[in-house]
Amino acid sequence: MKFSINFIFIIWASLIPLAQASTDQASSLYDKYEYSLKHDDLNGAYEALNQRRQLDNKNLKYIYDEGEFLLQYSNNQGYTKELIETGLKIAKDNKDKYWIPRYLEILAGILFQEGNIQPAYDTGIEAYSSLKGEQDDEERSDICQLLIGICTSLEKNDEALNYGLQALNIRRRVLGNNHRKTASTLTALGLVYLNNNDYEHAHFVLNESEQIYKRLGIEDETLVNNQGVLAFAQQHFADAYKLLSRALNLTKQKFGNKHSKLVGILKSLSVTSERLNNYDEAAYYIKEAYDIASSIYGKEHQVCAELLCEQGLLANQRKFYGEAMNKFSEALKIYDNLFGETSQNSQETLITMYRCACEIVVSNATKDIQIAKDFMSDKYFTLRNEGDDTLYLLAFGQWHMNNAACIFDYIPTVINDDVKILLSADKISIQEILSSDLNNFTVSIIRNKQIYDELLNLLK
């Protein structure tokens, strides 16, 4: 469930500053907030929190409560981030050891929702490091809980497990075994164990989480999602589809139809539908994921590039090669702008496009041949042997640089054979070596029309 973002702007515009207001006014407004929230009046709940903050714009509790509410319920996190950064500055200026880690935690959460994972990680670590007091502090468990998800996104699985176990131990001691927060940590740990291919422990913690939620009368969307992801990992695709569909409905009911949490679920549903050979559904889900992500993050965000690649892969599998190349090309432009043309993201996308172009030629997909030719017309390859300089790669066994066979798939088939390799260091002369002369080597694909033409002429 979401409240109207347009309506809250009307509220801000119509507010009258309330100076020297009494504590009774603040207390009354908080009572109004709790009443409105209990009766699903999110606009009324926000109005009460916003008016309370206007009573004292430097009150860190008031700022924090409003920001926390917006983080959970608002579609537009731009103002939320600005509000929390204001509170954090006040807390740091006051050297407030209580509020600094709490503001850092919520800021890390906002960055995480934005898809800015590394800054979220850095901010989360700062929050953890700045927290003073007892090891059983509930705030420490909250920061650890956030770091589980952030570390998981960065594939820092050992760190994710460490923070997850810290959070679980604190919450068991402080809150007990039948608390919602304890169940939430168990749910997050399920995904950590899953990423470590430890299905037994993943089942165990997810089942315990489910039992806690049942006793509390709660159906939690994150638990259902993680159960679906586990079912998928164990190749129970029909079960995974049912669970993920339920998670999608629960998330939409709670957060509305345009929330960042939907993106991951829709992506999982797309892959699951593909495994069930429901390709039209798979295409529908991944497009919906992209539409939501682009509306939240903007079309030039890394998340959108990743989803464009997913759309391209699905189109390629359905032999819609032209559509696939277009999606890959859009993703490549984003990666180039964000990280540079030599980045790993761009290189991986280029390799994917190269595979697709090779498939177009090999399968004789007549209507898409020109797309493949255009793509190939400025791409050349380099080979870097361990400890040596990078050289231009002209041929590797039967493969040569204008061959329609994918070199990245071809090399593994001949790697144990002593095949001839043609290289050039200067685009003028050619040197010949045997594959047995190589140690660990890397092949890369590079874009440059002039060099491509020079190497092609040299090879001829």
Side-chain angles (χ1 to χ4, degrees):
M1 185 195 323
K2 285 287 179 181
F3 68 114
S4 168
I5 207 72
N6 293 325
F7 186 70
I8 67 170
F9 284 128
I10 294 171
I11 292 172
W12 292 335
S14 63
L15 283 175
I16 299 173
L18 301 173
Q20 300 179 340
S22 69
T23 304
D24 288 344
Q25 286 177 288
S27 178
S28 175
L29 285 167
Y30 193 76
D31 289 342
K32 178 185 175 183
Y33 154 74
E34 289 188 316
Y35 177 85
S36 298
L37 191 62
K38 183 178 179 180
H39 291 83
D40 294 330
D41 179 8
L42 296 180
N43 286 303
Y46 176 74
E47 181 180 6
L49 286 179
N50 185 270
Q51 287 182 348
R52 186 180 67 153
R53 182 176 61 81
Q54 296 294 330
L55 299 176
D56 183 357
N57 276 320
K58 292 190 176 182
N59 187 304
L60 291 171
K61 170 65 174 171
Y62 297 171
I63 298 171
Y64 184 88
D65 285 348
E66 182 179 338
E68 189 176 42
F69 177 88
L70 289 170
L71 180 62
Q72 182 170 1
Y73 293 109
S74 174
N75 285 316
N76 186 345
Q77 293 302 324
Y79 175 74
T80 310
K81 187 177 181 181
E82 181 182 332
L83 185 65
I84 292 302
E85 287 175 335
T86 298
L88 178 60
K89 184 179 185 305
I90 295 171
K92 286 186 172 181
D93 288 345
N94 294 341
K95 298 180 180 180
D96 193 315
K97 295 180 180 179
Y98 177 86
W99 281 111
I100 289 173
R102 286 160 174 81
Y103 273 95
L104 286 167
E105 179 209 345
I106 200 169
L107 179 58
I110 293 170
L111 292 167
F112 189 31
Q113 278 198 10
E114 288 177 343
N116 296 317
I117 312 300
Q118 187 60 48
Y121 174 79
D122 296 337
T123 306
I125 294 298
E126 184 183 355
Y128 183 88
S129 301
S130 67
L131 188 65
K132 308 298 181 184
E134 297 296 327
Q135 290 298 310
D136 277 357
D137 189 297
E138 187 179 343
E139 176 61 20
R140 186 179 298 279
S141 77
D142 293 342
I143 296 172
C144 286
Q145 176 80 15
L146 175 62
L147 283 168
I148 302 171
I150 295 173
C151 290
T152 298
S153 295
L154 291 172
E155 298 183 358
K156 297 176 180 285
N157 293 334
D158 290 341
E159 280 192 59
L161 181 59
N162 174 48
Y163 288 121
L165 293 175
Q166 281 191 61
L168 182 62
N169 290 335
I170 294 171
R171 288 178 169 182
R172 285 196 194 278
R173 289 193 296 266
V174 175
L175 304 173
N177 289 325
N178 288 311
H179 195 278
R180 183 170 189 162
K181 282 190 173 183
T182 305
S184 176
T185 302
L186 288 163
T187 297
L189 275 170
L191 195 58
V192 176
Y193 285 125
L194 174 59
N195 289 336
N196 288 332
N197 296 317
D198 187 349
Y199 297 157
E200 182 179 354
H201 276 94
H203 266 298
F204 181 82
V205 294
L206 290 177
N207 287 342
E208 184 179 355
S209 177
E210 183 178 22
Q211 294 307 311
I212 296 172
Y213 279 128
K214 281 183 177 179
R215 287 193 290 270
L216 296 173
I218 296 170
E219 187 175 14
D220 182 72
E221 71 284 349
T222 304
L223 170 63
V224 178
N225 175 74
N226 289 3
Q227 288 173 323
V229 174
L230 177 58
F232 179 90
Q234 295 184 297
Q235 300 187 20
H236 304 318
F237 300 126
D239 292 338
Y241 183 85
K242 291 178 183 177
L243 288 163
L244 292 167
S245 297
R246 181 59 185 158
L248 180 68
N249 291 334
L250 289 169
T251 305
K252 286 185 174 181
Q253 289 171 17
K254 185 173 181 179
F255 297 104
N257 295 324
K258 295 291 182 181
H259 196 275
S260 59
K261 287 189 174 185
L262 295 168
V263 175
I265 302 173
L266 287 163
K267 185 177 176 180
S268 296
L269 269 169
S270 177
V271 177
T272 305
S273 298
E274 182 183 341
R275 294 298 180 90
L276 292 169
N277 298 318
N278 296 327
Y279 294 108
D280 288 340
E281 273 196 22
Y284 172 81
Y285 286 129
I286 201 65
K287 183 182 184 303
E288 186 179 357
Y290 173 80
D291 289 343
I292 292 172
S294 61
S295 70
I296 295 172
Y297 306 126
K299 292 185 177 181
E300 300 303 311
H301 197 278
Q302 181 179 353
V303 171
C304 293
E306 292 168 357
L307 291 167
L308 284 166
C309 284
E310 291 291 335
Q311 287 181 290
L313 289 169
L314 181 59
N316 184 67
Q317 185 168 347
R318 302 174 77 186
K319 302 190 185 305
F320 300 161
Y321 298 121
E323 178 184 343
M325 291 294 282
N326 287 336
K327 296 297 183 184
F328 294 142
S329 181
E330 289 182 58
L332 182 63
K333 288 178 183 177
I334 296 171
Y335 286 138
D336 286 348
N337 290 334
L338 290 176
F339 308 116
E341 291 190 3
T342 60
S343 67
Q344 182 178 349
N345 301 83
S346 292
Q347 181 66 197
E348 290 174 353
T349 307
L350 276 172
I351 291 172
T352 302
M353 295 180 75
Y354 171 58
R355 280 197 171 97
C356 185
C358 289
E359 191 171 338
I360 290 171
V361 176
V362 170
S363 62
N364 194 29
T366 309
K367 68 175 183 177
D368 298 317
I369 285 291
Q370 191 58 49
I371 294 175
K373 288 182 177 180
D374 291 343
F375 175 79
M376 298 285 199
S377 65
D378 67 345
K379 309 297 185 302
Y380 66 92
F381 300 85
T382 61
L383 184 149
R384 185 176 185 276
N385 194 27
E386 186 177 52
D388 295 336
D389 294 333
T390 300
L391 300 172
Y392 300 108
L393 176 60
L394 304 177
F396 198 111
Q398 294 183 357
W399 177 91
H400 50 84
M401 63 170 286
N402 60 343
N403 196 316
C406 178
I407 187 173
F408 300 99
D409 298 329
Y410 170 74
I411 287 178
T413 67
V414 297
I415 196 63
N416 294 322
D417 302 331
D418 207 12
V419 298
K420 182 171 65 175
I421 301 173
L422 299 182
L423 302 165
S424 177
D426 55 9
K427 297 175 289 180
I428 298 173
S429 60
I430 295 176
Q431 66 183 84
E432 179 182 318
I433 67 170
L434 296 175
S435 57
S436 57
D437 297 329
L438 296 173
N439 298 314
N440 294 323
F441 65 94
T442 303
V443 174
S444 300
I445 184 170
I446 311 294
R447 292 167 276 178
N448 187 302
K449 175 64 174 172
Q450 180 179 342
I451 294 177
Y452 169 85
D453 290 338
E454 292 178 34
L455 293 174
L456 193 58
N457 288 330
L458 178 62
L459 184 63
K460 290 177 180 178

